[in-house]
Amino acid sequence: MRALRSFTVQTHLPEELAPLRELAMNLRWSWDVRTRELFRSIDPRAWKASHSDPLAVLASVSPERLDELAADRSFMTFMGEVYDTLKRSTGRDRWFQQRGSSPLRNVAYFSAEFGIAAALPQYSGGLGVLAGDHLKASSGVGIPLTGVGLFYKEGYFRQSLNTEGWQQERYPMLDPHAMSLTLSTGADGQPVRIHLDLAGEPLVAQVWKAQVGRIELYMLDTDLEENSAEGRLVTDRLYGGGTEHRIRQEILLGVGGVRALEAVGIDIQVFHMNEGHAGFVGLERIRRFVTEHDMTLPEAVEAARSATIFTTHTPVPAGIDRFQKSLMVKYWSGWCAETGVPFEQLMALGAEPTGGDMFNMAMMGLRLAGMANGVSKLHGKVSQKMFNDLWPSVPWDEVPIGSVTNGVHGFTWVGSEMADLLSRNLIPSWPEADQKIWNKIQDVPDDELWRAREMARGRLVTYVRGKMAEQERARGRMDTEWTDRVLDPRALTIGFARRFATYKRADLLLSHPERLAALLSNPERPVQLVFAGKAHPADDQGKALIQRIISFAIDHNVRDRIAFMEDYDITVAAHMYQGADVWLNNPRRPMEACGTSGEKAALNGALNLSILDGWWDEWYDGKNGWAITSAEDELDLVRRDAMEAESLFNVLESQVVPLFYDRPRGMVPLGWTQRMKDSLDSLGPKVEAYRMVRDYTEQYYEPTARATDALSASGYRRARELAAWKTKVVGAWDQIKVVSVEGDLGTTTLRDERVVDATVAIDGLRPSDVIVQVLHGPVAQGDELVDPLVTDAEMVEARGDGTYLWRAKFSCNTAGRYGFTARVLPRHDDLLVPESLARITWA
Ligand SMILES: *Cc1c(COP(=O)(O)O)cnc(C)c1O
């Protein structure tokens, strides 16, 4: 029977042990080794059974054991030290405070998912884990940031495989009272209640707060008795249900999120939208500006934009949230009525430039953000091309989308063996190490590095065996003895874990079954594979991929060389990154926006063997791992996959396996350890999330903070002026004409100065409203300019007839045919990116 009502009984901790609750409630435990060790020591079996969850340990520990601990001097000393470190760590000045004054007061980071610990399963994969690492790293370097998300009662699905190897999904209910979460209260001390209107129905949400080091994360939850049955289900599952469910969740995240921050008393300066799911933040902010500050829609858009950053994560249009017009009518008519903004103008904010009447969340994100970025250099470029239509007159490589390459939170992901080695040989807080400090890895004795490698691999093998036995028992098989023989702690171990989406090609290795079987069953130089990953519940193709891997192991009699670990989550993932020798990634380039699992593996000393996509395209240097040749020019996918599989097997057979087993002097493979050093040395300072959040701060948060402070001063005076200026410029832009571009065309010598005069008609505008630029450089066939340089011209003469003369001077630094042209762009002090107005007139 089901209980009608339920409540939570908390363990009563003796007063001396009160710090334990505080330590368990700050998710800093998820990356702090000593805090974890403290909870493990309370009850090692409960720690293991709970998959490393301090609150579960506290909930299960007996009163007798608590008394025993309170009387245990060494435990009490250890607890005191760990507690002191927590207190000190949250107060100390970090990188952000140490660099002196900053225009940045605070950032709200909105994301549909956050992956912080396996014990708080509010993530599905890469996007969420990245968001979790963003919070942790912000805590580490002291950035004033607040996270905003949703609390899903059933989280994401849990995976198991049936006896046929077919994925089964489960959705166990979570109890927020039993997690490292507290209910947020308002100024009156009462739990805050967020109120929304969902297509005419009132919706109420409570707000859970998670403490992540020094960072707070607020999660909205509609599972309340005040709500209708449907209302309660808004936060049932992550990415469950159809598009209507999705729009309801996204309204709660965007609109509710802004209201939640207000209710807990945080006045936000900068808004960072992690992917389009959070895009409705912009509409809520616009509503405020219109109704509370009496702005027009264009003014409100400027005010909202100036404070907003949008990060896109998907290189494929199909990965973007889009809503049908009918859903927009249903859920946003109320907004239109309240603001007086006609529905068509609302739709225009999310319209796709190619036509149709879908509302596209990425398009809205880009239109309502003052700055936007992709998540690796390559992905930044792919995004510039993908969204070029939004800025039609702008050349694709000047589309205003930049990039910050994703990084990973080292303290969370690096295993104890490697973490010890790094803190001994670099600096204790090695995630802060710069390139010069990382160079010291080259001096670490090879056998020390190799020992850490062997221990981590051994730990993975033990973990896999335990997990396999558990999986077998769950399927009702009692004969689990064979799982003790799964994997060999000394064999070359390849890790492969990711979502089983088709483009990630988990089956590329299976495309040469005989070659793979030969690698796996080679008695002298054995290779073994550890797999993990979930397929989307609706994706039967993805599930079939998993099944093929399972059948391959059975059919080729290599069950002891291939392990598939069920229910890929943060704990499974960490064991794999820590224990693998080689991290394999073979997506179809450029479908992987960044990828982060390889970065986590690299910090653990694994070598990447990967298609040059995402982060690996940027940082592979020829000796820090291996590249699989991408045959993306081949349009026939079957042929392309075959060519890339060939490259993968060639590298494995002729380079990876021989290097691992090349052990001339005793036991240490010196070629391998050298490559590990080159990998750590070159990647260590780059893949760390501390670097990522520092980049966001300097390149995005601070410029945005400056812009929004300027535009919002004196009742948003400059936001209003900017909106008026844009209206004027856009209205007059069609009259802009480059009348002539003249310059000396005689042969010249290298480095000589050339002068180019451009006469431009700017009817209705002032010269200060525009920039005239001369583009010049070597020309190829058909006088096509190759990578032209851009020189801003100076206005030198008003001609009186509405035309003006601009002059640019430059020197020619390449010999051969040289050419030039000119163009006109809008210019305004508060227009951070001239291209963003998508008005460029070419000569
Ligand atoms: C890092 C991580 C991912 C993302 O890895 P990709 O390389 O982007 O596929 C997904 N799930 C978990 C649990 C992770 O830790």
Side-chain angles (χ1 to χ4, degrees):
M1 84 208 68
R2 196 163 177 267
L4 188 60
R5 301 265 192 279
S6 62
F7 55 91
T8 308
V9 183
Q10 285 194 341
T11 311
H12 178 74
L13 287 176
E15 202 171 322
E16 311 89 282
L17 296 179
L20 285 178
R21 184 163 302 280
E22 210 175 314
L23 283 163
M25 292 304 283
N26 190 323
L27 284 149
R28 182 172 175 277
W29 64 254
S30 66
W31 71 84
D32 185 63
V33 201
R34 282 159 46 93
T35 313
R36 295 167 71 82
E37 182 48 36
L38 179 74
F39 282 100
R40 203 190 66 87
S41 71
I42 293 175
D43 185 346
R45 284 175 64 182
W47 175 254
K48 195 161 172 234
S50 70
H51 300 283
S52 323
D53 181 353
L55 277 178
V57 170
L58 291 187
S60 69
V61 64
S62 67
E64 294 74 37
R65 175 69 181 144
L66 289 175
D67 290 341
E68 196 179 295
L69 289 170
D72 178 340
R73 290 266 287 287
S74 72
F75 179 84
M76 293 304 288
T77 312
F78 187 29
M79 184 188 75
E81 281 171 22
V82 173
Y83 185 60
D84 267 4
T85 320
L86 171 72
K87 291 278 135 195
R88 265 186 287 118
S89 76
T90 48
R92 214 183 70 197
D93 275 1
R94 300 302 174 96
W95 170 83
F96 183 78
Q97 288 74 25
Q98 286 162 2
R99 50 203 271 287
S101 78
S102 165
L104 181 66
R105 291 187 302 281
N106 59 38
V107 191
Y109 181 87
F110 284 74
S111 179
E113 45 174 314
F114 285 92
I116 295 162
L120 188 61
Q122 298 290 316
Y123 59 94
S124 75
L127 184 73
V129 173
L130 173 81
D133 280 4
H134 198 101
L135 301 189
K136 292 171 180 177
S138 295
S139 174
V141 306
I143 296 170
L145 183 137
T146 306
V148 183
L150 302 181
F151 180 82
Y152 306 93
K153 180 104 186 147
E154 299 171 6
Y156 194 55
F157 77 89
R158 310 295 298 267
Q159 176 200 51
S160 57
L161 301 183
N162 68 13
T163 42
E164 274 85 55
W166 193 256
Q167 173 176 298
Q168 313 288 305
E169 294 102 24
R170 283 171 296 127
Y171 295 90
M173 293 278 188
L174 302 173
D175 175 8
H177 296 279
M179 305 175 123
S180 303
L181 298 171
T182 48
L183 265 185
S184 303
T185 49
D188 58 0
Q190 292 302 308
V192 297
R193 284 283 189 274
I194 308 304
H195 297 271
L196 276 92
D197 170 298
L198 219 46
E201 283 246 349
L203 182 73
V204 186
Q206 57 185 352
V207 183
W208 295 100
K209 183 175 98 176
Q211 191 69 42
V212 187
R214 9 195 321 156
I215 302 289
E216 287 167 354
L217 164 62
Y218 293 94
M219 307 164 104
L220 289 95
D221 170 10
T222 62
D223 186 28
L224 288 172
E225 290 190 357
E226 292 104 295
N227 284 323
S228 65
E230 302 82 61
R232 294 183 76 151
L233 293 179
V234 170
T235 51
D236 60 348
R237 296 176 180 173
L238 182 53
Y239 306 137
T243 40
E244 178 151 11
H245 189 241
R246 189 68 81 90
I247 199 172
R248 291 160 69 88
Q249 290 189 330
E250 294 186 6
I251 290 170
L252 179 64
L253 176 60
V255 179
V258 172
R259 296 179 190 177
L261 288 167
E262 208 168 54
V264 299
I266 304 181
D267 184 19
I268 291 298
Q269 181 191 24
V270 171
F271 293 80
H272 185 178
M273 293 186 276
N274 187 40
E275 194 46 282
H277 311 124
F280 291 137
V281 166
L283 296 187
E284 170 65 0
R285 304 238 308 133
I286 287 173
R287 185 185 68 82
R288 302 293 183 91
F289 289 128
V290 172
T291 60
E292 292 167 16
H293 296 268
D294 202 23
M295 290 189 191
T296 61
L297 177 64
E299 289 169 349
V301 167
E302 291 311 325
R305 271 175 61 88
S306 72
T308 308
I309 295 153
F310 174 66
T311 299
T312 169
H313 288 263
T314 172
V316 280
I320 295 172
D321 271 338
R322 302 156 81 231
F323 297 118
Q324 269 158 358
K325 188 172 169 184
S326 56
L327 276 180
M328 291 302 290
V329 171
K330 180 168 173 188
Y331 286 97
W332 289 95
S333 298
W335 183 93
C336 291
E338 196 185 341
T339 55
V341 172
F343 181 75
E344 291 316 314
Q345 288 186 21
L346 167 73
M347 281 302 284
L349 291 173
E352 300 183 338
T354 43
D357 59 2
M358 296 297 277
F359 191 89
N360 182 308
M361 294 298 279
M363 297 300 168
M364 177 173 70
L366 291 167
R367 287 193 180 100
L368 293 186
M371 299 185 88
N373 70 293
V375 290
S376 66
K377 283 218 167 72
L378 178 62
H379 177 238
K381 288 195 189 122
V382 169
S383 304
Q384 287 180 306
K385 288 182 187 154
M386 185 164 133
F387 294 113
N388 200 169
D389 288 345
L390 209 51
W391 293 274
S393 60
V394 178
W396 76 264
D397 57 351
E398 291 183 59
V399 163
I401 300 179
S403 72
V404 175
T405 305
N406 286 340
V408 298
H409 185 248
F411 280 144
T412 295
W413 299 108
V414 173
S416 53
E417 306 84 2
M418 199 61 188
D420 281 352
L421 185 143
L422 294 177
S423 52
R424 269 198 322 271
N425 290 284
L426 308 183
I427 46 173
S429 182
W430 49 268
E432 292 167 46
D434 59 15
Q435 182 65 66
K436 226 177 101 210
I437 297 174
W438 273 97
N439 289 151
K440 294 202 262 181
I441 199 77
Q442 296 286 358
D443 304 328
V444 173
D446 292 88
D447 55 350
E448 184 182 342
L449 190 59
W450 186 243
R451 205 161 45 240
R453 179 92 294 282
E454 298 226 286
M455 280 165 62
R457 187 191 316 110
R459 205 157 44 77
L460 171 64
V461 169
T462 307
Y463 181 78
V464 170
R465 288 174 180 169
K467 187 93 176 152
M468 301 288 279
E470 214 176 278
Q471 291 172 191
E472 283 299 286
R473 283 194 293 272
R475 289 187 202 114
R477 293 200 179 124
M478 290 307 135
D479 156 35
T480 61
E481 219 174 275
W482 67 274
T483 59
D484 288 342
R485 295 185 299 275
V486 170
L487 306 187
D488 173 349
R490 281 157 322 198
L492 169 57
T493 305
I494 300 180
F496 185 100
R498 43 196 35 89
R499 243 175 340 112
F500 274 75
T502 337
Y503 80 86
K504 301 215 182 209
R505 295 188 298 192
D507 56 344
L508 201 64
L509 269 175
L510 304 186
S511 60
H512 290 274
E514 300 312 323
R515 275 167 96 176
L516 179 61
L519 281 169
L520 299 181
S521 44
N522 183 315
E524 270 100 58
R525 306 192 305 183
V527 173
Q528 59 196 8
L529 292 167
V530 182
F531 283 99
K534 296 174 175 180
H536 188 275
D539 179 12
D540 279 354
Q541 271 189 327
K543 294 183 192 178
L545 277 183
I546 297 176
Q547 198 175 36
R548 277 189 61 200
I549 292 170
I550 308 285
S551 330
F552 176 89
I554 297 168
D555 297 349
H556 288 78
N557 203 17
V558 282
R559 254 206 327 180
D560 54 345
R561 288 276 178 267
I562 296 187
F564 189 99
M565 281 199 280
E566 292 173 4
D567 206 28
Y568 183 45
D569 69 357
I570 286 177
T571 308
V572 170
H575 278 95
M576 290 182 67
Y577 308 144
Q578 292 165 14
D581 297 295
V582 171
W583 195 255
L584 175 65
N585 190 20
N586 48 27
R588 283 198 190 104
R589 187 182 194 266
M591 305 278 274
E592 184 105 302
C594 178
T596 49
S597 55
E599 298 183 328
K600 301 173 204 166
L603 277 183
N604 278 290
L607 296 175
N608 278 272
L609 165 57
S610 191
I611 293 270
L612 290 179
D613 200 2
W615 74 280
W616 191 232
D617 181 66
E618 210 164 308
W619 293 327
Y620 169 66
D621 67 6
K623 48 180 201 160
N624 56 3
W626 293 276
I628 303 167
T629 309
S630 171
E632 65 209 71
D633 293 338
E634 173 60 66
L635 297 179
D636 181 320
L637 280 188
V638 176
R639 296 242 304 267
R640 172 175 172 184
D641 288 354
M643 287 159 78
E644 296 183 10
E646 186 63 31
S647 165
L648 165 60
F649 274 94
N650 286 344
V651 176
L652 268 178
E653 291 162 348
S654 68
Q655 298 184 50
V656 180
V657 177
L659 192 68
F660 186 84
Y661 287 105
D662 179 15
R663 306 181 185 188
R665 277 185 283 136
M667 291 304 290
V668 179
L670 294 176
W672 193 272
T673 47
Q674 185 53 51
R675 211 165 257 254
M676 283 173 67
K677 289 180 181 178
D678 290 340
S679 167
L680 288 162
D681 186 1
S682 64
L683 302 174
K686 301 189 179 81
V687 301
E688 172 58 55
Y690 282 22
R691 187 274 311 151
M692 168 178 77
V693 295
R694 288 196 305 255
D695 285 354
Y696 271 111
T697 301
E698 291 175 341
Q699 297 163 27
Y700 289 82
Y701 295 161
E702 291 186 332
T704 301
R706 253 181 234 113
T708 190
D709 280 0
L711 263 66
S712 61
S714 323
Y716 291 91
R717 183 178 57 81
R718 277 164 68 177
R720 294 173 206 263
E721 284 171 7
L722 181 59
W725 177 84
K726 278 192 182 177
T727 309
K728 177 185 85 171
V729 169
V730 169
W733 199 260
D734 283 351
Q735 316 296 326
I736 298 259
K737 242 170 93 181
V738 181
V739 181
S740 68
V741 184
E742 308 289 345
D744 185 356
L745 298 180
T747 301
T748 182
T749 47
L750 209 56
R751 296 200 217 300
D752 259 8
E753 190 177 76
R754 274 277 132 118
V755 176
V756 171
D757 282 348
T759 305
V760 181
I762 54 166
D763 240 11
L765 295 179
R766 288 170 306 174
S768 60
D769 290 332
V770 300
I771 332 170
V772 175
Q773 294 177 329
V774 169
L775 291 85
H776 55 96
V779 289
Q781 292 240 312
D783 276 353
E784 193 62 34
L785 279 163
V786 186
D787 294 332
L789 298 168
V790 180
T791 303
D792 285 354
E794 212 181 311
M795 208 278 287
V796 289
E797 194 186 328
R799 288 273 168 77
D801 56 354
T803 68
Y804 294 80
L805 179 68
W806 266 270
R807 177 164 294 159
K809 295 177 184 163
F810 55 86
S811 55
C812 311
N813 290 332
T814 25
R817 289 301 296 167
Y818 208 85
F820 58 82
T821 184
R823 66 180 185 187
V824 189
L825 288 86
R827 196 210 68 84
H828 187 279
D829 283 345
D830 291 328
L831 190 66
L832 285 188
V833 190
E835 289 83 359
S836 65
L837 209 52
R839 293 295 184 285
I840 301 188
T841 298
W842 296 82

